[in-house]
Amino acid sequence: MRILMVGFGVVGQSFAELIMNEAKKLDHDYGLRPRIVGVVDKHGAVVVPDGIDIPKLLESKRISGTMKGEGDWEYHEGVSALDVISDLDCEVMIETTPTELSKGEPGLSHVRAALGAGRHVICTNKGPLAIAMPALMELAHHNDVIFKFSGTVGGGTPVLDFAKKCLEGSRIKSISAILNGTSNYILSKMASEGKPMKDALAEAQKLGYAEADPTYDIGGFDTACKLVITSNYVLGTSLSIKDVNITGITGVTSEDIQRAAQKGNVIKLIGRVGSGARVSPEEIPLTHPLNVSGTFNAILFETDSAGDITLVGKGAGGKETASSVLRDLIEIRRAFAR
Amino acid sequence: MRILMVGFGVVGQSFAELIMNEAKKLDHDYGLRPRIVGVVDKHGAVVVPDGIDIPKLLESKRISGTMKGEGDWEYHEGVSALDVISDLDCEVMIETTPTELSKGEPGLSHVRAALGAGRHVICTNKGPLAIAMPALMELAHHNDVIFKFSGTVGGGTPVLDFAKKCLEGSRIKSISAILNGTSNYILSKMASEGKPMKDALAEAQKLGYAEADPTYDIGGFDTACKLVITSNYVLGTSLSIKDVNITGITGVTSEDIQRAAQKGNVIKLIGRVGSGARVSPEEIPLTHPLNVSGTFNAILFETDSAGDITLVGKGAGGKETASSVLRDLIEIRRAFAR
């Protein structure tokens, strides 16, 4: 299966490494022989119709930060992703450029172009989905291609597929979830060590759990994106991020956390859909299944007949998210085979 | 689809109620029209080839404790399940008789007979699987029928299907789990209220969480059954309960629990497979994903690429377990359709 990768950061590189290491297993178990025929990042593009030499590609990126390498492939400096998407023969595009929430770009244009050109798409970029998921689903349907985005929610934890594949026959009445590891890390540290928010945030930044500008995470926007994607996929809603009532954790004080603790509670940043969609800090009991610590994510499905079911996992990480991309690819391969 | 129900206790009755209430949805979503054509319990059998009137059946069982009812069906007092299994025309047998661990009977004979007669089987009885799962899987394979048992592990929480359907492309390196709600309730009460085991057990018995003879639960045997089933299904092992090293919670004292608490730990009854299979009380940190309270179950899959993923849910309950039976039936229906 010929793959074009748009974006080649941590997730993209981890994916390339994963399919290289698992090549035998993938062929044996799923008849899947992935071949990366093109890679575009913000600097330029590499195109090799017979399949790129993955070790050399990773080495080049590691040493120079670009894919220029040592010249046994053609490197097209400054070429745009849209040009490659329209020109390159392939079956699947994997979109891993960074999330942007005002217009969802450039990911949104990439996904639109690829779906429109009849490519299956795997996307780990939340922007296009937070902005225009219903339209993209429709576009994929119209072009009879598969559009998957497991890596957008829960990193390597198969949140979306779980709800679709494992809860058949039950109705999901509501979803409540901790979907942002950064916020959860900060709130956990504030609770366990009595730290004020600014110290916990600084520590998270030092450990690489939070960005220099942490607004996207601690402002609740990342949680809102993931909530929109989960709700649309699992409950069949047609939300965009504008439909979510969002409150981040910046207003949570050490005193709030101590007061909650005295009642046997913790404060968590929770996204919730059922009647309406919102993200806000909430007090939950210490014994609640969503009370996970550190950078964990947790998502609770309230069902009519199977009870409340919670999935807990590491919500981020390049290697983990790459495993979600691979699962999506296996699903595309299987649909092909039918 | 014509169904024979063997055993008609809480799970069986909940299942009958569930398919009655969900009849429209099941037909619409899955083209599934389940029809109960026979029910056998320890008192006798009812056979109605056109489908039993479920409300009347439930009413009869509720009032008299038997299925004798008011006579608009033939009630065969004292007839054996094996006779009905061999004589009745049906596609699926649902086995919900109680778990027995010395020989797995009478469930084992029921399952063998049904598979041998070319019936698909859904089983919530752990006995036959704890004793002879590899042989039963082989028998199902040989007869080209489907053998499902989702309700044996996790009640309504789709533990087995999760591992099979949602973790493709990853290797599961080990499984560790809390699989017995009774033991977990007792240990939780001992920890949160400083109660000695005998008081916590008495309370669990009063609330209906523990049997008069609690050996099966607190001796670790229930956990071991579920561990065997999960390991064989998910990891492809060929274990029986004899292969599990089992220590229950009867030796755990309040002092042990307090000592653990001083280190920020809790004591839980954990089943574990990876290298070897064992069930024993273990100390884990308060922040560990398996630290669930009350009657919850939790199962952690350690994967190579997707990280550690934990599923938490109510591990028992008639209604919840019936939802697992229904999921199995939907899967059988789907395989039929292909």
Side-chain angles (χ1 to χ4, degrees), chain B residues 119 208 242 262 293:
Chain B
R119 318 292 187 219
K242 287 180 194 139
Q262 280 158 11
S293 69

Side-chain angles (χ1 to χ4, degrees), chain B residues 28-45:
Chain B
H28 179 269
D29 292 1
Y30 310 103
L32 177 64
R33 284 185 288 269
R35 186 152 46 103
I36 300 175
V37 296
V39 183
V40 198
D41 67 7
K42 62 189 165 198
H43 306 294

Side-chain angles (χ1 to χ4, degrees), chain A residues 82 85-87 90-91 93 107-121 135-147:
Chain A
L82 287 173
I85 292 168
S86 71
D87 292 348
C90 67
E91 280 80 39
M93 176 186 78
L108 183 52
S109 296
H110 298 162
V111 173
R112 270 207 189 111
L115 292 175
R119 318 291 187 222
H120 306 291
V121 170
L136 295 174
M137 299 297 284
E138 181 57 37
L139 184 63
H141 183 72
H142 179 76
N143 285 282
D144 202 17
V145 290
I146 298 172
F147 179 35

Side-chain angles (χ1 to χ4, degrees), chain A residues 18 22 25 30 156-158 161-162 165-171 287 289 293 296 304-314 319-320 323 326-327 330 334, chain B residues 18 22 25 30 156-158 161-162 165-171 287 289 293 296 304-314 319-320 323 326-327 330 334:
Chain A
L18 185 60
E22 298 292 331
K25 179 181 158 72
Y30 310 105
T157 310
D161 277 348
F162 173 74
K165 294 182 180 172
C166 295
L167 296 176
E168 286 190 312
S170 294
R171 278 182 197 82
T287 53
S293 70
F296 278 116
D304 59 347
S305 53
D308 291 356
I309 297 173
T310 307
L311 198 54
V312 178
K314 215 180 145 186
K319 187 178 146 196
E320 289 80 2
S323 78
L326 181 56
R327 278 197 302 268
I330 290 170
R334 188 165 289 149
Chain B
L18 184 60
E22 298 291 331
K25 179 181 158 71
Y30 310 103
T157 309
D161 277 347
F162 174 73
K165 294 182 181 173
C166 294
L167 296 176
E168 286 190 311
S170 295
R171 278 182 197 79
T287 54
S293 69
F296 277 116
D304 59 348
S305 55
D308 291 357
I309 298 173
T310 308
L311 197 55
V312 179
K314 216 180 142 185
K319 188 178 145 195
E320 289 80 2
S323 78
L326 180 55
R327 278 197 301 268
I330 290 170
R334 188 165 289 148

Side-chain angles (χ1 to χ4, degrees), chain A residues 24-273:
Chain A
K24 260 193 193 164
K25 179 181 158 72
L26 294 175
D27 191 6
H28 178 270
D29 291 2
Y30 310 105
L32 177 63
R33 284 184 289 268
R35 185 152 46 103
I36 300 176
V37 295
V39 183
V40 198
D41 67 7
K42 60 191 167 197
H43 306 293
V46 172
V47 171
V48 181
D50 288 340
I52 292 168
D53 181 321
I54 294 176
K56 281 191 188 160
L57 181 73
L58 291 171
E59 181 70 2
S60 161
K61 186 88 184 178
R62 193 181 64 78
I63 291 173
S64 67
T66 74
M67 298 171 304
K68 200 167 179 180
E70 293 311 313
D72 60 347
W73 54 58
E74 254 180 276
Y75 179 70
H76 309 273
E77 197 160 330
V79 80
S80 93
L82 287 173
D83 286 342
V84 183
I85 292 168
S86 71
D87 292 348
L88 183 65
D89 238 8
C90 67
E91 280 80 39
V92 181
M93 176 186 78
I94 299 179
E95 220 293 342
T96 60
T97 67
T99 297
E100 188 282 324
L101 286 186
S102 69
K103 295 197 164 129
E105 293 295 355
L108 183 52
S109 296
H110 298 162
V111 173
R112 270 207 189 111
L115 292 175
R119 318 291 187 222
H120 306 291
V121 170
I122 300 171
C123 183
T124 65
N125 174 348
K126 293 175 279 289
L129 291 150
I131 304 282
M133 183 166 167
L136 295 174
M137 299 297 284
E138 181 57 37
L139 184 63
H141 183 72
H142 179 76
N143 285 282
D144 202 17
V145 290
I146 298 172
F147 179 35
K148 294 285 289 179
F149 34 81
S150 298
T152 56
V153 184
T157 310
V159 169
L160 299 177
D161 277 348
F162 173 74
K164 280 264 181 164
K165 294 182 180 172
C166 295
L167 296 176
E168 286 190 312
S170 294
R171 278 182 197 82
I172 297 172
K173 292 157 75 181
S174 74
I175 298 172
S176 48
I178 292 176
L179 295 170
N180 181 260
T182 308
S183 302
N184 202 55
Y185 179 84
I186 291 171
L187 292 173
S188 298
K189 278 284 157 183
M190 289 172 73
S192 65
E193 299 175 13
K195 288 191 172 162
M197 165 121 9
K198 70 173 184 5
D199 294 0
L201 171 58
E203 193 181 316
Q205 284 168 326
K206 206 172 135 192
L207 289 168
Y209 296 157
E211 307 285 333
D213 175 2
T215 316
Y216 174 66
D217 289 316
I218 70 175
F221 303 103
D222 178 64
T223 303
C225 287
K226 293 167 176 169
L227 191 68
V228 163
I229 296 168
T230 307
S231 177
N232 290 350
Y233 190 72
V234 175
L235 303 177
T237 53
S238 298
L239 302 177
S240 88
I241 193 165
K242 289 181 194 141
D243 301 311
V244 186
N245 194 328
I246 307 173
T247 310
I249 62 168
T250 43
V252 178
T253 66
S254 303
E255 292 71 38
D256 294 336
I257 287 177
Q258 279 163 28
R259 246 191 320 269
Q262 280 158 12
K263 291 184 277 178
N265 292 340
V266 287
I267 295 181
K268 294 286 180 187
L269 181 64
I270 292 180
R272 196 176 276 282
V273 279

